[in-house]
Amino acid sequence: MKYLRLSVLGLISAVAFGYPTVYPTGTTIYDPDNAYGSYILVADHNDRSNHPSAAARTEGQVPGDIRLIDMNGNVVHTWNVEPYFNKRARVLENGHLLYAGPDKRVIQYDWDSNIVWEHKGIGSVNDLRILPNGNRLLIAHEPIPQSAQGKVEDVSEKIAPWWGPRMRGSEEHQQGGDIFEVNLNGEVVWEWHAHDHLDLNLFSPLTPLNDWLHMNSIAPLPENKWYDAGDKRFKPGNILINPRNINMMYIVDKQTGSVVWEGTHNYKGGMAHSHEPEMIEKGLPGAGNIILFDNSLFPRNRTHTGQTFIIELDPTTMEIVWKYETEGYANIKFFSKTMGTQKRLPNGNTFIGEDNTGRLFQVQPDGTIVWEFINRGGTTRPSVVPYDFTPQLRDMTRPAEKRVTPPNNLEWQLLPDEDRE
């Protein structure tokens, strides 16, 4: 009972759409013997809890919102960035932070939070990548040209009576999906526009007006066995894109701009507004397969409703070779309506970021959870950062990895105020 009394001190209210109002935060499970140890880059997505009288922290963004934590939840470094709602960021190998900031600015901070580079005019909120040549790959969601808008058709109620007509062509000016490669001088050296290559009349009826694609991921292909075997579609540097709203993935040939591959999955009704598909890199278990975070937003099968999946598929056959899901009818133990990420780790585990709840966890291939961390206010696609990834981290003492064993959820309870020590 003493353990339960002490645990109460770690309880706070925090944002959680699928969680109770009050629950533990911080590292709640950690098995160092079976987990892959690393730092985690974390950025809060929300500033309020789901308990109306308790803020998760100060209203709005505060210094240190983007931070590196160790596996026990200790903060080892922070970057003070300009406030913005999404806080999409990536750590670079020199210790800098590339950040999608406000006013269509992409900002690079050094280790000490000084701005050392920025680019204006491309609002790369959903993803940004560093290419081997040092250039940046960015997404913009801009209105499509009028010449393309003229090809968009209205949809009558007769065709789809349950959700009614959509004046997609005559009244809604659709947002596109535009990809830009920008060099360090700020020059656009390559660009690609979805309206030139994808079906303008393929859309999801339940998304906001004008939101044709909602491109949320751009992942350059790594070296891979498919290309080594002669399949030119998978040439390293080609770009795997994820237009969330049409439940398809595509590979864009970087040299020609052509779409050379398209893919999806059909498990329990198929993809439902997924995030962050990536090809698993050489040297990792599952190398060459594509792994993705299937949110389950607007699914086509009730057994998919409220159930997020991690799907790993063979891109040459579309066969699902591994998946992570929780079990049970109408099960919402793993669910992020929007956002989310995953990463295959060197020991074969998979890192998962359930962003809406702020629950980050790591699973073994059999689905066993060997690490779990609950963030104070949701997250924005967190990422794994190896202990030796930057010079600054290599100069640090590697953190202790302390086991965390959770209490028995069937017996754990808060004590009345007058009974607490």
Side-chain angles (χ1 to χ4, degrees), residues 179-383:
I179 307 174
F180 296 92
E181 180 181 345
V182 176
N183 65 22
L184 291 177
N185 294 323
E187 302 164 333
V188 174
V189 296
W190 181 87
E191 58 188 279
W192 184 89
H193 303 279
H195 59 262
D196 291 329
H197 300 277
L198 304 183
D199 184 351
L200 289 156
N201 293 297
L202 180 63
F203 77 106
S204 171
L206 297 175
T207 52
L209 301 183
N210 312 316
D211 196 4
W212 167 41
L213 296 177
H214 200 92
M215 190 93 72
N216 63 24
S217 178
I218 44 173
L221 298 184
E223 294 184 3
N224 61 85
K225 61 184 179 181
W226 315 116
Y227 182 75
D228 293 345
D231 194 331
K232 303 301 182 185
R233 298 175 299 173
F234 302 108
K235 181 179 179 180
N238 285 354
I239 304 169
L240 175 62
I241 64 173
N242 190 63
R244 182 196 72 179
N245 287 357
I246 60 175
N247 296 322
M248 292 290 295
M249 301 173 289
Y250 301 94
I251 291 177
V252 176
D253 186 296
K254 184 71 184 307
Q255 185 173 2
T256 66
S258 300
V259 172
V260 294
W261 176 91
E262 63 179 47
T264 188
H265 75 81
N266 295 311
Y267 183 61
K268 292 188 177 180
M271 285 174 62
H273 287 215
S274 297
H275 280 77
E276 204 96 341
E278 294 186 332
M279 180 173 282
I280 299 173
E281 298 177 357
K282 275 187 174 182
L284 300 179
N289 293 333
I290 289 174
I291 189 168
L292 61 98
F293 189 102
D294 187 322
N295 296 74
S296 178
L297 181 61
F298 310 136
R300 298 183 293 278
N301 186 312
R302 76 178 289 182
T303 60
H304 195 168
T305 301
Q307 290 187 284
T308 294
F309 308 142
I310 303 299
I311 297 290
E312 178 186 342
L313 56 82
D314 179 326
T316 65
T317 64
M318 302 302 164
E319 175 189 1
I320 294 177
V321 297
W322 182 82
K323 61 182 180 293
Y324 174 78
E325 62 178 321
T326 48
E327 299 177 354
Y329 180 74
N331 191 337
I332 57 172
K333 292 181 181 177
F334 173 36
F335 178 56
S336 186
K337 175 182 173 182
T338 60
M339 304 187 299
T341 191
Q342 78 298 310
K343 191 75 172 178
R344 179 57 44 79
L345 301 172
N347 67 350
N349 291 354
T350 302
F351 167 81
I352 301 171
E354 185 185 305
D355 278 343
N356 286 171
T357 66
R359 174 178 173 243
L360 316 180
F361 59 110
Q362 189 181 129
V363 300
Q364 293 180 298
D366 66 358
T368 301
I369 296 174
V370 293
W371 177 77
E372 180 183 74
F373 175 85
I374 311 298
N375 193 50
R376 60 194 183 186
T379 50
T380 300
R381 285 194 264 177
S383 57

Side-chain angles (χ1 to χ4, degrees), residues 10-66:
L11 297 174
I12 66 168
S13 298
V15 173
F17 304 106
Y19 274 57
T21 303
V22 178
Y23 58 92
T25 61
T27 298
T28 54
I29 299 172
Y30 188 26
D31 176 2
D33 294 335
N34 291 297
Y36 174 76
S38 73
Y39 299 112
I40 310 292
L41 182 70
V42 177
D44 294 347
H45 192 265
N46 306 286
D47 58 15
R48 291 220 167 257
S49 75
N50 63 349
H51 188 288
S53 64
R57 54 186 172 80
T58 306
E59 178 74 27
Q61 194 171 25
V62 296
D65 260 356
I66 297 182

